[in-house]
Amino acid sequence: MKKFIALLLAFLLACTCLAGCGIKALTHAEYENAALDSEVTVETYVQATQSWWDGKITAYCQSEDGAYFIYNMTCAEADAAKLVPGTKIQVTGFKSEWSGEVEITDAKFKIVKGDNFIAQPVDVTELLGTDELIGHQNEKVSFTGMTVEPSDDEGAAFLYNWDGSGEDGSDLYFNLSKDGQTYSFVVESYLCGAGTEVYEAVKALSVGDKVDLEGFLYWYEGSQPHVTSLTVTEKAPALDKDVVVLFTNDVHCGVAEEGAIGYSGLAAYKKSMEADNYVILADAGDFAQGGPIGTFSKGQYLVDIMNYLGYDVATPGNHEFDYGLDNFFALTEKAEFPLVSANFIDLSDNSAVLDAYKMFDFNGIKIAFVGISTPETFVTSTPTYFQNDAGEFVYSFCQDDDGSGVYAAVQAAVDAAREEGAKYVIAIGHLGDELSSSPWTSGEVINNTTGIDAFIDGHSHSVIDEEGVKNADGESVLWAQTGTKLTAFGKLVIGMDGNLSLSLISDYTEKDADTDAFIADIQSSYEADLEKVVAHTDYDLEINMPGTDPAVRIVRCMETNLADLVADAYRTVGEADICITNAGGIRATIPAGDITYNNILTTSPFGNTVCVIEATGQQIVDALEMGARSVPDEVGGFL
């Protein structure tokens, strides 16, 4: 009997010991209330695992009542293969926290036989940016209707590693937006590495794509979901062909100059580009004046030719105004392309005279051309054209002492174009790079604005092909000008890959016969008048430094024989003691031999009016000093 009682007591003691040694799993609510660094035991279900490495595995787990991130759990390699989604496990480890991420570390596990559980993702899109989102930490979640945003300043849709320092196989970081707010997401390479469907899907993203996605709500210094699947619901617009922008500036009636490309060469090149590219033809001003074809027609023939070539956009140069405002507006009506200017203002109501920009759309990609006119138009054309009968200016080009008016007008136009959806903004300005044009040079406008991708320039007749002009944010802007008289034209390519490239074409020899015939027909109407001989010279009458290519216009910084002859002619006609004329009005050298009416019109194309006034000696000295203010640099105001 005693022996039986002793055995019974031993059995009960053993049962009590076993019961006391049993480990009770915490509910998720109890786990949340447990202190950090305390030992915890939970029962949960595997949803996904990261790669096994050196006897450790990391698992994303979830039960009906909540989720867990189990970091570097001890696991034999053979057991890692058993941790398939839905597997129930009991985990014992320490509750830890790292930069906001609550996790179980230093854990061990055992598989619990029985039921399994696969969590369905919870759509938490509307919780982004709110305090409620953290309540879903480590859960399987989804996001819908997100838009891919640039991940760096270069516009990349994703980065290898958070700073772009990685390579294929590294973590993929990318940004998505919703309702104007942008959030960071990551494809964690140990979870979904290179070659997985989601990894390749992210690599194929384009900025602007609309996506839905799923993953685990990892938390590191805020929400940073580990994405496990991604579906593109709407592809962003993308170019299906390159966009080729062909551009001209300061043609000055040089429609078919000997040795130049001319409009027929440009037409031939344009046709060669149109088969495989979208083509835009643009002009940066001063096309209507500068030769007999302009003088005889007050610019109308030039617009006819530009319509024939199919120009798409232009900005007015100062010499488009040389025939008066009524004629200028007649030219804009005749043009089958818009003339744009962000800073040409009617002061009667402070309204823009012309549209600030022209928007083009190619396969959903919008490209804006913002026009900019030089405030020097007032003095390089005829000031009275812009005044009322009382001599008050009724038009403005946003001129001021420091350039801020022009910069602000341009920035407002660029911002408006971007707001309308322009992916690329091209400035098309008649500003130039001469010191005398400051503070309104093209370089200064670039330096004091943002959002311009490329600047097509005119006015100074410079040959420019630059790629590194910095804007107000220190970003590089392409910048080009082609010289004058169609000796060259520009080519800006916006590639399907989003890259921009710039070049000047000066050696193209093909001609378009139809364009040649069209121009010849116009020229025939006044050729007989041009051939009339009116004088003779035994010497070349120069405006350029002999032998220079491109020509150095010395008439704009020193005395020349042609400028002396012109001034003497004006003095004689005006019966004056002295004559002052500006160098910018003397446009072409006259070679030795007979001088024709064509030479006269080509040399002095602007229809200037001789004005006789009385002036003091000091006023004359002041005028000469003003004209010489930029010597030895060129300036059209040199006297």
Side-chain angles (χ1 to χ4, degrees):
M1 186 64 179
K2 289 181 181 180
K3 183 176 181 181
F4 173 76
I5 293 173
L7 289 172
L8 180 59
L9 289 172
F11 174 76
L12 291 174
L13 182 60
C15 290
T16 301
C17 181
L18 287 172
C21 292
I23 300 174
K24 180 179 181 298
L26 301 177
T27 66
H28 192 269
E30 291 170 336
Y31 167 76
E32 286 188 318
N33 290 327
L36 289 175
D37 301 321
S38 64
E39 188 176 54
V40 294
T41 297
V42 298
E43 285 190 354
T44 186
Y45 300 85
V46 174
Q47 304 300 308
T49 58
Q50 292 186 3
S51 302
W52 178 89
W53 178 255
D54 196 25
K56 304 285 186 181
I57 198 167
T58 294
Y60 303 81
C61 296
Q62 190 167 340
S63 304
E64 293 278 5
D65 58 349
Y68 308 89
F69 184 69
I70 304 171
Y71 180 72
N72 271 1
M73 180 169 61
T74 299
C75 179
E77 185 173 8
D79 290 334
K82 301 175 183 178
L83 297 181
V84 297
T87 303
K88 187 174 184 180
I89 58 174
Q90 184 181 87
V91 179
T92 299
F94 291 88
K95 181 181 177 182
S96 303
E97 185 269 338
W98 183 59
S99 295
E101 170 64 23
V102 178
E103 56 195 23
I104 299 175
T105 60
D106 297 325
K108 297 181 179 180
F109 78 97
K110 66 178 181 179
I111 294 175
V112 179
K113 294 184 178 180
D115 60 341
N116 59 27
F117 172 75
I118 300 292
Q120 295 303 305
V122 177
D123 190 336
V124 295
T125 311
E126 298 306 317
L127 297 182
L128 281 166
T130 70
D131 294 338
E132 289 80 20
L133 183 62
I134 197 170
H136 295 272
Q137 183 176 172
N138 297 321
E139 287 183 14
K140 188 182 289 186
V141 295
S142 65
F143 303 89
T144 55
M146 306 291 288
T147 302
V148 179
E149 300 293 343
S151 292
D152 63 6
D153 293 339
E154 303 300 319
F158 70 92
L159 296 177
Y160 291 113
N161 290 340
W162 65 272
D163 58 355
S165 63
E167 57 187 7
D168 193 36
S170 303
D171 294 346
L172 299 182
Y173 282 78
F174 58 106
N175 293 332
L176 303 178
S177 68
K178 182 74 174 181
D179 299 329
Q181 298 297 316
T182 300
Y183 309 93
S184 177
F185 293 77
V186 62
V187 175
E188 213 277 341
S189 59
Y190 287 121
L191 176 64
C192 300
T196 62
E197 188 173 336
V198 66
Y199 197 93
E200 300 307 312
V202 170
K203 285 171 55 179
L205 289 177
S206 299
V207 173
D209 286 350
K210 302 287 187 181
V211 299
D212 294 342
L213 60 160
E214 297 179 1
F216 297 99
L217 190 58
Y218 186 77
W219 205 273
Y220 175 74
E221 296 181 354
S223 168
Q224 196 174 83
H226 286 179
V227 178
T228 56
S229 71
L230 182 143
T231 302
V232 176
T233 58
E234 181 182 335
K235 283 295 295 180
L239 291 173
D240 54 347
K241 293 189 289 186
D242 290 349
V243 176
V244 174
V245 181
L246 303 178
F247 58 91
T248 53
N249 61 270
D250 298 283
V251 172
H252 283 298
C253 300
V255 298
E257 300 283 307
E258 185 176 351
I261 291 173
Y263 275 130
S264 65
L266 177 62
Y269 193 88
K270 178 175 180 275
K271 288 180 179 179
S272 73
M273 291 289 102
E274 287 175 329
D276 300 315
N277 308 279
Y278 297 114
V279 177
I280 297 172
L281 189 54
D283 186 90
D286 277 8
F287 51 83
Q289 174 65 285
I293 193 171
T295 303
F296 278 116
S297 68
K298 294 186 177 180
Q300 300 282 333
Y301 288 157
L302 278 301
V303 173
D304 288 338
I305 295 170
M306 294 172 75
N307 286 342
Y308 184 83
L309 262 72
Y311 269 82
D312 298 292
V313 64
T315 198
N318 48 298
H319 290 299
E320 266 66 75
F321 298 95
D322 283 352
Y323 309 110
L325 264 292
D326 288 343
N327 191 80
F328 170 77
F329 290 123
L331 293 179
T332 63
E333 288 294 321
K334 187 180 184 68
E336 295 171 3
F337 50 90
L339 279 85
V340 293
S341 176
N343 63 309
F344 182 25
I345 306 298
D346 184 339
L347 292 176
S348 65
D349 57 4
N350 287 318
S351 64
V353 178
L354 304 170
D355 288 340
Y357 60 88
K358 165 68 176 175
M359 188 78 79
F360 297 88
D361 190 318
F362 299 105
N363 206 42
I365 297 297
K366 292 184 177 182
I367 304 170
F369 283 73
V370 174
I372 314 168
S373 303
T374 175
E376 291 186 298
T377 298
F378 284 140
V379 294
T380 53
S381 184
T382 302
T384 55
Y385 292 158
F386 305 97
Q387 298 171 338
N388 60 20
D389 292 339
E392 300 166 329
F393 280 99
V394 292
Y395 291 96
S396 166
F397 288 94
C398 300
Q399 67 280 355
D400 52 30
D401 292 336
D402 61 3
S404 59
V406 171
Y407 310 153
V410 173
Q411 189 65 67
V414 172
D415 291 345
R418 293 289 187 184
E419 185 68 24
E420 192 180 329
K423 184 175 179 63
Y424 303 98
V425 173
I426 313 302
I428 180 169
H430 194 80
L431 297 178
D433 65 338
E434 290 181 342
L435 180 63
S436 60
S437 298
S438 182
W440 308 304
T441 66
S442 45
E444 287 169 313
V445 169
I446 294 171
N447 296 157
N448 288 279
T449 58
T450 61
I452 294 172
D453 296 297
F455 199 115
I456 295 170
D457 195 17
H459 189 44
S460 59
H461 300 191
S462 307
V463 178
I464 300 169
D465 181 5
E466 296 282 345
E467 298 196 4
V469 185
K470 300 298 183 183
N471 68 9
D473 286 341
E475 299 167 336
S476 293
V477 177
L478 301 178
W479 177 33
Q481 192 179 157
T482 70
T484 186
K485 294 286 187 179
L486 271 172
T487 55
F489 61 86
K491 180 180 180 181
L492 171 67
V493 179
I494 303 173
M496 288 187 288
D497 59 3
N499 292 322
L500 277 66
S501 62
L502 188 64
S503 60
L504 301 183
I505 309 296
S506 59
D507 56 356
Y508 188 70
T509 58
E510 297 294 322
K511 301 290 183 180
D512 179 66
D514 291 339
T515 302
D516 271 335
F518 184 82
I519 294 172
D521 185 57
I522 292 174
Q523 291 173 324
S524 67
S525 66
Y526 57 83
E527 271 184 348
D529 291 330
L530 295 180
E531 292 172 357
K532 292 179 181 178
V533 175
V534 296
H536 181 87
T537 176
D538 291 332
Y539 306 96
D540 289 341
L541 301 176
E542 294 284 0
I543 68 167
N544 300 322
M545 178 71 75
T548 57
D549 185 20
V552 177
R553 298 179 294 183
I554 55 174
V555 72
R556 293 182 174 226
C557 61
M558 65 178 65
E559 185 177 9
T560 73
N561 58 0
L562 179 56
D564 288 343
L565 175 62
V566 170
D568 283 341
Y570 294 166
R571 178 181 56 79
T572 301
V573 170
E575 298 180 351
D577 296 313
I578 65 171
C579 174
I580 295 176
T581 187
N582 70 301
I586 305 172
R587 307 297 285 200
T589 289
I590 298 177
D594 288 339
I595 300 175
T596 65
Y597 185 38
N598 181 56
N599 293 135
I600 299 298
L601 290 180
T602 303
T603 297
S604 299
F606 300 131
N608 293 332
T609 300
V610 174
C611 181
V612 180
I613 63 171
E614 290 186 355
T616 67
Q618 186 60 55
Q619 288 171 329
I620 293 170
V621 169
D622 290 345
L624 292 172
E625 288 183 345
M626 180 64 178
R629 67 193 182 277
S630 297
V631 172
D633 292 327
E634 290 185 11
V635 60
F638 181 74
L639 303 176

